[in-house]
Amino acid sequence: MPKKLIVILLISLIFITQAWFIYITFSYPFTGVILEKTEQNEWVIERFESENVDIGLKVGDIIVEVDHKNVNDHFSIYKFHGLEQFKQILVLRDGETLEVLNHTFLSLSTYDILPLISLFPCFLLIFLLYKYTFHYESAKYLSYLLMVIAMAFISTGASSRGDAIGLIFVYTLVMCLPILFINFLSVFLKEKTNIILSTKYNKFLIFFIFISIFPQLIFFTDSSVIYFMYDIIGFFVMCYVLFGLLSIFIILTKLYFIHRKEKTYASTLIKSIWVSLFLSFAPLSIFSYLPFIITGKAIIEPIYTTWFILFFPFSFSYLIITKQVYDLNVITRRILFIICFSLLPSTFIITIVMYLFKPDLSTHQLALALTSTSFILFLTLALTSYITNKFEKWIYPKKHTLKMRLNRIVEKLGTITNFHEFKSIILPEIIQLYKVHGAALILIYKNNYESISEGTIDVKEIKNLLKTPKNLDEHPFYTSYEINRHNEYTSYLVLTKKTNNTVLGLEEKQWLFLICSYLKICLENTYYLRKLRFELQEKERFRIATDLHDSTMQDLFFLKRRLGAVVGNENTNTEDKKEIANLLDYIDIINLSLRQGCFELYPYTIQDMGLNQAVHKLIDQLHLTHDLEINFIEIKEIENYNIEEKRQLFRIIQELLNNTIKHAQAAKVNITFKTKEQILRLIYEDDGIGLDVKQRSKDSTKRPESGLDQIRYRVIDLNGKLKIKSNVGNGVQIHMTFPMEEEQKWGLSS
């Protein structure tokens, strides 16, 4: 017979049997009646398997007739000493005959509802595994495991009603679980860690399954020993399952001790498997199977403890689909917290109900009510986090907006390369997010401050308030947040009141603190990038100047000597000598131009002769190429600065002169150094076309960094202050002050 046909027949058989089990479950109510045959050959109700099923019968009732036939002819009575699958019975109670019909009570009990409910998550996980990860071999094995669990749950309805096929299916499927678990773990560990898990014990487990099937065939007969075989087979199945699970735990424990010292993914994964397997089977083994084997009665009925079996396939479906190992410590703490948090209100609710309504409940019913309430609360609390995150947009619109805007701000922070870009990129986002009138970022240096603002906010007032930060903390209109503080500068984010004149709420302040933490990193990166850029510029200028001096200028000198030798040769005619003489003059011009370029790149004169001579040399070079009157008033005290500070001052003057030549259209420039009260003053004036300082400040974010911005940064780097006075058509006056000593009290007035 072809393999494909066998598979089709097997699947068809499974569907037919499952349909039969569902038919039995919905056609006949579960009674849970256990009978005892007396010496008078009468069948008396001994007990009920479940106290939750009320069918109008009592312990001690005598069953007289079942479905209008002799009581001894009903299969569930003589086979299993139970009363199941009937339409009508006659009962003798206290000398009176009572008739009970099965349509007078519900067909589905707790024994049926719980297994049927469990089918939905099983089939949902099978669908998810098939849709997203069925190309993994482990996903296929896990799907088979879930399918067997689902079929076992469907079979419980028929088996609890004494159906022979249902009993055989339940026993066989439950015995298959250890084998399927071992096969799944073997494939899963091989996929994830290349660990080979031995499956040689499966042959023995499969052998015992085949052995157990043959005795179960007695359920189809009318033999008088069925009742005793029923107990023996059930006992054997429980022992078999416990033995199979114990074998798996031993194998996993050995693997864990082999790999635990490595602290690798393999050890973490084995630990997760061990814990998941324990949580899945510990309730069934400890509270149901073991007590039944030892005492003949389970502490908790298997119908409840079998639910925990789903934990293992659920947890590993998550692991396979998400491709990540869950943190056991976090999950354990969370589960314990939720359990404790659900038990407290559940106990309170049950206590209130008992006190107010005084229901006549047995201990078992009370425990079931407490467990059910706790479980509902547990699921509610466990799903709350997921539901909150999923529907956060509607449940917490303010929080969702803050989170989305924060993500946008963080993305934009990654694009910032200089301080002024905060104005156009970040501050508008903050203003729009918090609905404030304005916002400002202020950096306080030792002798200077730097600020950018957006919206309606008075930066000068804030600057004065920051002289004593407490004043700003207590201000009714402004809210300030210190972003970072260290030796070189302190930065603040200052916001005005909201447009509706309310203050920021607690949640808004918490998110603002988070924004400030990101701003702190970005500000520090921007600040140190700016300083590093100056250092790199100087190094690169030095390298280029050195290369020009050592290579190009030396080559020109060598070329000039060779040409000079040709001119001095007697064989050279007069015309060639004139041409070579012109070339020599042109080489001198090139050489002079290169010397000027090298000086501009790296003013070596500062180190050799001082800053004053370097400035004079720069002016002399500019006089050669530009018709510009430059007056320079020097002071000797300037030479007290170290070489790096003098180089910064030289670059400031150089940049100012370049700006004047390029943009000012000036005829005269005055450069003056002055000292007064340990303060160095540098005053730069020209009579050019001037500029609109306020408009230039507003447009600073719409253009790349200019030479004036570079000057401002250099002044800040020297702990100085800068002030520009200019109007269109009236030239420019730039006043800079620098401390002559290291320790100076910084002031904020410009």
Side-chain angles (χ1 to χ4, degrees):
M1 187 180 290
K3 184 178 179 181
K4 187 175 181 181
L5 182 59
I6 295 174
V7 173
I8 292 173
L9 289 174
L10 184 61
I11 293 173
S12 301
L13 180 63
I14 291 173
F15 272 107
I16 291 170
T17 53
Q18 298 303 306
W20 168 255
F21 299 150
I22 293 172
Y23 167 76
I24 293 295
T25 302
F26 283 89
S27 298
Y28 300 100
F30 171 74
T31 63
V33 176
I34 304 299
L35 302 176
E36 182 183 17
K37 195 172 186 180
T38 65
E39 295 178 357
Q40 292 80 22
N41 202 27
E42 294 178 333
W43 291 96
V44 180
I45 297 177
E46 179 188 1
R47 59 185 174 85
F48 294 93
E49 286 187 329
S50 175
E51 297 177 3
N52 298 326
V53 179
D54 184 11
I55 59 174
L57 298 176
K58 295 182 179 180
V59 175
D61 288 349
I62 301 171
I63 307 300
V64 178
E65 182 183 280
V66 180
D67 291 338
H68 306 291
K69 295 179 182 179
N70 188 290
V71 66
N72 293 302
D73 295 334
H74 192 69
F75 79 96
S76 69
I77 293 177
Y78 68 77
K79 285 185 178 182
F80 309 111
H81 291 195
L83 181 61
E84 299 292 347
Q85 292 193 44
F86 64 88
K87 298 291 184 182
Q88 172 269 346
I89 58 173
L90 285 179
V91 179
L92 184 63
R93 181 189 300 166
D94 299 330
E96 295 183 6
T97 302
L98 302 174
E99 183 180 25
V100 178
L101 303 175
N102 70 354
H103 61 77
T104 59
F105 47 91
L106 296 174
S107 61
L108 295 179
S109 66
T110 308
Y111 276 71
D112 307 311
I113 294 172
L114 292 178
L116 290 174
I117 290 174
S118 65
L119 296 178
F120 294 103
C122 286
F123 287 126
L124 176 62
L125 283 179
I126 291 171
F127 169 76
L128 293 175
L129 289 169
Y130 177 80
K131 183 176 181 181
Y132 296 108
T133 59
F134 211 66
H135 53 283
Y136 291 115
E137 197 70 18
S138 58
K140 295 179 183 179
Y141 276 87
L142 190 58
S143 299
Y144 302 152
L145 179 61
L146 284 165
M147 183 59 71
V148 168
I149 293 173
M151 289 193 297
F153 277 127
I154 294 174
S155 306
T156 54
S159 66
S160 63
R161 288 162 173 78
D163 184 75
I165 301 175
L167 283 168
I168 294 173
F169 256 77
V170 168
Y171 286 150
T172 306
L173 292 172
V174 169
M175 293 177 72
C176 286
L177 289 179
I179 299 172
L180 290 170
F181 271 108
I182 291 175
N183 285 332
F184 164 72
L185 292 177
S186 174
V187 174
F188 182 76
L189 287 173
K190 187 177 180 181
E191 277 184 358
K192 301 296 181 182
T193 62
N194 290 323
I195 294 175
I196 306 299
L197 184 66
S198 176
T199 58
K200 60 183 180 180
Y201 299 108
N202 278 1
K203 296 178 181 179
F204 299 101
L205 296 175
I206 294 171
F207 174 72
F208 282 115
I209 291 177
F210 278 109
I211 289 178
S212 69
I213 289 176
F214 293 106
Q216 293 180 59
L217 297 177
I218 198 173
F219 295 151
F220 293 105
T221 68
D222 295 332
S223 174
S224 58
V225 297
I226 291 177
Y227 178 68
F228 301 102
M229 289 298 297
Y230 173 69
D231 288 340
I232 292 171
I233 292 170
F235 182 86
F236 173 79
V237 170
M238 291 181 188
C239 292
Y240 171 90
V241 172
L242 290 176
F243 173 78
L245 292 173
L246 184 62
S247 302
I248 297 173
F249 279 115
I250 291 172
I251 294 170
L252 288 174
T253 304
K254 287 174 64 177
L255 280 175
Y256 177 70
F257 276 100
I258 292 171
H259 296 278
R260 65 172 180 167
K261 292 183 179 179
E262 299 173 5
K263 294 184 179 180
T264 58
Y265 177 74
S267 62
T268 305
L269 190 61
I270 293 168
K271 183 180 177 182
S272 300
I273 294 172
W274 198 98
V275 172
S276 298
L277 203 62
F278 179 80
L279 292 175
S280 295
F281 285 98
L284 180 66
S285 304
I286 297 171
F287 298 108
S288 297
Y289 282 3
L290 275 177
F292 189 87
I293 291 171
I294 296 169
T295 65
K297 187 176 181 180
I299 298 174
I300 301 175
E301 295 178 35
I303 193 66
Y304 302 113
T305 54
T306 48
W307 262 74
F308 289 90
I309 293 176
L310 294 173
F311 181 80
F312 184 88
F314 276 33
S315 60
F316 278 85
S317 296
Y318 165 83
L319 195 151
I320 292 172
I321 293 171
T322 60
K323 301 176 184 177
Q324 58 185 1
V325 178
Y326 41 81
D327 191 328
L328 281 175
N329 294 327
V330 173
I331 290 178
T332 303
R333 286 196 299 268
R334 188 174 297 173
I335 289 175
L336 289 175
F337 171 76
I338 296 175
I339 288 173
C340 295
F341 207 76
S342 58
L343 276 174
L344 290 174
S346 300
T347 306
F348 178 75
I349 292 169
I350 296 299
T351 304
I352 294 296
V353 170
M354 292 291 293
Y355 178 77
L356 293 178
F357 301 102
K358 297 181 174 59
D360 187 15
L361 297 177
S362 64
T363 305
H364 178 79
Q365 290 172 328
L366 190 62
L368 182 62
L370 179 62
T371 305
S372 302
T373 309
S374 300
F375 183 71
I376 292 170
L377 284 173
F378 177 86
L379 286 179
T380 304
L381 292 171
L383 291 172
T384 298
S385 177
Y386 172 78
I387 293 171
T388 301
N389 291 333
K390 193 72 175 177
F391 301 100
E392 183 186 57
K393 186 176 181 179
W394 294 277
I395 300 174
Y396 303 111
K398 183 66 176 178
K399 182 180 178 181
H400 178 75
T401 303
L402 289 169
K403 186 184 292 186
M404 296 298 293
R405 285 295 177 85
L406 176 62
N407 291 337
R408 284 180 56 181
I409 289 173
V410 171
E411 287 178 7
K412 291 184 175 182
L413 281 172
T415 65
I416 291 177
T417 57
N418 65 74
F419 182 63
H420 287 282
E421 287 180 355
F422 284 97
K423 178 180 176 64
S424 60
I425 295 176
I426 300 303
L427 292 185
E429 287 283 349
I430 294 175
I431 291 172
Q432 190 175 1
L433 176 60
Y434 290 101
K435 303 292 188 296
V436 294
H437 293 284
L441 266 176
I442 299 180
L443 274 66
I444 304 296
Y445 302 96
K446 290 182 179 179
N447 292 286
N448 204 348
Y449 79 97
E450 195 174 0
S451 68
I452 55 169
S453 62
E454 185 71 16
T456 306
I457 186 168
D458 192 340
V459 176
K460 288 185 178 179
E461 182 184 2
I462 295 170
K463 175 193 68 175
N464 292 326
L465 290 170
L466 280 174
K467 290 179 180 179
T468 309
K470 267 190 175 181
N471 295 339
L472 196 58
D473 293 339
E474 299 170 358
H475 200 278
F477 188 71
Y478 298 114
T479 305
S480 69
Y481 298 89
E482 185 180 291
I483 300 174
N484 53 7
R485 174 186 289 270
H486 45 70
N487 293 334
E488 297 185 5
Y489 73 95
T490 304
S491 59
Y492 297 90
L493 173 65
V494 183
L495 303 181
T496 64
K497 266 191 174 183
K498 298 172 76 172
T499 52
N500 57 5
N501 286 327
T502 59
V503 296
L504 296 178
L506 179 62
E507 188 177 27
E508 292 173 318
K509 288 182 178 180
Q510 290 173 345
W511 282 93
L512 196 56
F513 282 129
L514 190 58
I515 291 173
C516 287
S517 66
Y518 287 108
L519 282 174
K520 176 181 179 179
I521 298 171
C522 190
L523 274 173
E524 288 187 354
N525 290 341
T526 305
Y527 177 76
Y528 287 114
L529 183 65
R530 189 167 70 189
K531 293 194 71 172
L532 182 63
R533 185 169 56 191
F534 289 145
E535 295 175 10
L536 292 175
Q537 281 178 353
E538 291 300 328
K539 288 181 180 179
E540 189 64 16
R541 285 172 171 175
F542 175 75
R543 186 189 66 80
I544 295 171
T546 304
D547 287 347
L548 288 173
H549 183 272
D550 295 343
S551 60
T552 307
M553 291 179 67
Q554 294 300 322
D555 291 341
L556 288 172
F557 177 73
F558 180 73
L559 178 62
K560 185 177 179 181
R561 287 185 61 184
R562 291 291 302 274
L563 290 172
V566 173
V567 170
N569 194 331
E570 296 177 355
N571 297 325
T572 306
N573 59 45
T574 306
E575 292 183 2
D576 289 339
K577 287 183 178 181
K578 288 183 179 179
E579 187 67 28
I580 292 172
N582 291 333
L583 288 175
L584 289 172
D585 292 339
Y586 188 63
I587 289 173
D588 288 335
I589 294 172
I590 294 173
N591 197 21
L592 178 61
S593 178
L594 282 173
R595 287 183 181 278
Q596 290 177 351
C598 289
F599 178 78
E600 289 180 5
L601 285 170
Y602 188 73
Y604 55 88
T605 311
I606 296 176
Q607 191 167 357
D608 298 338
M609 303 176 66
L611 177 61
N612 289 319
Q613 290 301 316
V615 174
H616 280 300
K617 186 173 180 61
L618 175 65
I619 293 170
D620 292 340
Q621 288 184 350
L622 290 174
H623 282 156
L624 295 174
T625 56
H626 298 86
D627 186 15
L628 180 66
E629 181 184 344
I630 304 174
N631 300 314
F632 173 51
I633 301 175
E634 63 179 62
I635 56 172
K636 294 180 180 180
E637 292 85 348
I638 196 69
E639 306 300 345
N640 293 331
Y641 277 71
N642 62 45
I643 187 65
E644 291 300 326
E645 291 170 336
K646 287 191 283 188
R647 187 175 287 119
Q648 287 278 48
L649 289 169
F650 178 84
R651 293 298 182 197
I652 290 171
I653 296 170
Q654 186 183 37
E655 190 64 47
L656 286 169
L657 289 170
N658 287 337
N659 284 345
T660 299
I661 292 168
K662 289 178 182 178
H663 309 293
Q665 300 177 20
K668 184 178 180 180
V669 171
N670 294 322
I671 303 171
T672 306
F673 275 129
K674 293 181 180 180
T675 57
K676 185 179 181 182
E677 298 177 355
Q678 298 299 315
I679 297 294
L680 171 68
R681 299 181 184 275
L682 172 58
I683 303 168
Y684 183 91
E685 300 172 298
D686 70 40
D687 59 354
I689 59 175
L691 55 89
D692 189 337
V693 179
K694 292 183 178 179
Q695 185 62 39
R696 186 178 180 84
S697 178
K698 290 179 181 179
D699 296 340
S700 61
T701 60
K702 299 178 182 178
R703 54 175 171 77
E705 287 187 358
S706 64
L708 197 57
D709 293 324
Q710 295 289 330
I711 292 167
R712 192 185 304 275
Y713 297 153
R714 291 184 186 275
V715 170
I716 290 172
D717 199 40
L718 290 171
N719 297 321
K721 290 185 285 187
L722 173 73
K723 187 173 184 180
I724 301 174
K725 295 180 180 179
S726 178
N727 289 311
V728 177
N730 293 329
V732 174
Q733 287 186 357
I734 299 176
H735 293 255
M736 288 162 277
T737 57
F738 306 95
M740 296 288 285
E741 295 179 356
E742 289 185 5
E743 295 183 3
Q744 294 287 335
K745 293 183 179 179
W746 60 270
L748 292 179
S749 59
S750 297

